[in-house]
Amino acid sequence: MTMGRMDMDAAGAGSPPKIRVWDPVVRMFHWGLVGLFAFSFLTGDEWKQAHIRSGYAIVGLLLVRIIWGFVGCHHARFSNFIYDPITTLGFIRDSLAMRAKRYIGHNPAGAAMVFALLLAISGIATTGYMMTTDAYWGVEWVEEAHELLVNLTLGLVGLHIAGVLLASIEHKENLVRAMITGRKRAD
């Protein structure tokens, strides 16, 4: 079946129909980034070579996701989840009041988070690479920017998790499972 088409849940005909939303590239990027970011965070000062290799793997993931954001399936394309700031702020207000519209793909807050995380992690990778070069090795502002971006990203991750939990409760839908299976409720 193609992305976006409905199919029946494996549980049987009594379950609500599901729609395929998150393709394998998006899911592998997401969970790969989760694992590599956690590994990089834990190995930072303790295991430099592994930390650097993990950083390069993250750059590879970022490149794949950015390309996929232009050529991938419907819900993976950036053009399908760009919202203006007023729409995003209104969505956040409605979410906090537990009355936000349900989206099949990225909701406005989730879309803003995707872009914020892509930018922050790109900044971490850039400053991390800079610290390995002769020109920037030992330069204090580069190291401070790297650490600041890591801490900012940890904050964004916390907000992302809170948003996923809030939306899961509000819409009675397990969004973590959806990011594992790729399927969401069709209605």
Side-chain angles (χ1 to χ4, degrees):
M1 289 189 160
T2 60
M3 288 295 156
R5 292 187 56 197
M6 280 194 262
D7 58 2
M8 295 308 290
D9 187 37
S15 297
K18 304 275 185 177
I19 186 168
R20 292 183 184 186
V21 177
W22 309 122
D23 63 74
V25 174
V26 169
R27 296 188 331 254
M28 286 188 286
F29 164 78
H30 181 272
W31 295 114
L33 187 59
V34 167
L36 286 168
F37 182 80
F39 181 81
S40 291
F41 181 77
L42 295 172
T43 59
D45 290 328
E46 308 303 320
W47 193 7
K48 282 278 191 225
Q49 245 353 78
H51 182 81
I52 290 168
R53 287 188 176 140
S54 178
Y56 282 123
I58 287 172
V59 169
L61 284 176
L62 287 171
L63 291 173
V64 168
R65 182 60 183 102
I66 289 167
I67 291 166
W68 200 243
F70 293 101
V71 302
C73 298
H74 177 76
H75 293 291
R77 291 187 185 185
F78 298 139
S79 61
N80 291 317
F81 59 91
I82 294 176
Y83 300 95
D84 63 80
I86 293 182
T87 300
T88 302
L89 291 172
F91 178 85
I92 292 168
R93 181 195 63 234
D94 290 347
S95 288
L96 293 173
M98 299 298 282
R99 63 171 190 256
K101 173 185 168 190
R102 180 177 173 268
Y103 288 76
I104 295 295
H106 290 95
N107 64 46
M113 185 59 69
V114 167
F115 294 120
L117 285 168
L118 287 174
L119 282 171
I121 293 171
S122 294
I124 293 169
T126 300
T127 54
Y129 173 74
M130 289 170 68
M131 291 189 315
T132 68
T133 66
D134 289 339
Y136 293 99
W137 188 84
V139 174
E140 193 172 325
W141 74 262
V142 177
E143 293 177 21
E144 289 174 358
H146 188 73
E147 288 183 29
L148 176 67
L149 287 165
V150 168
N151 290 326
L152 172 69
T153 301
L154 289 171
L156 290 172
V157 167
L159 286 173
H160 176 57
I161 292 168
V164 166
L165 292 174
L166 179 65
S168 292
I169 292 166
E170 181 178 11
H171 299 295
K172 298 174 180 59
E173 179 169 52
N174 187 334
L175 293 179
V176 174
R177 182 174 55 219
M179 188 50 80
I180 293 170
T181 65
R183 298 173 185 202
K184 291 178 75 177
R185 194 177 71 240
D187 60 348

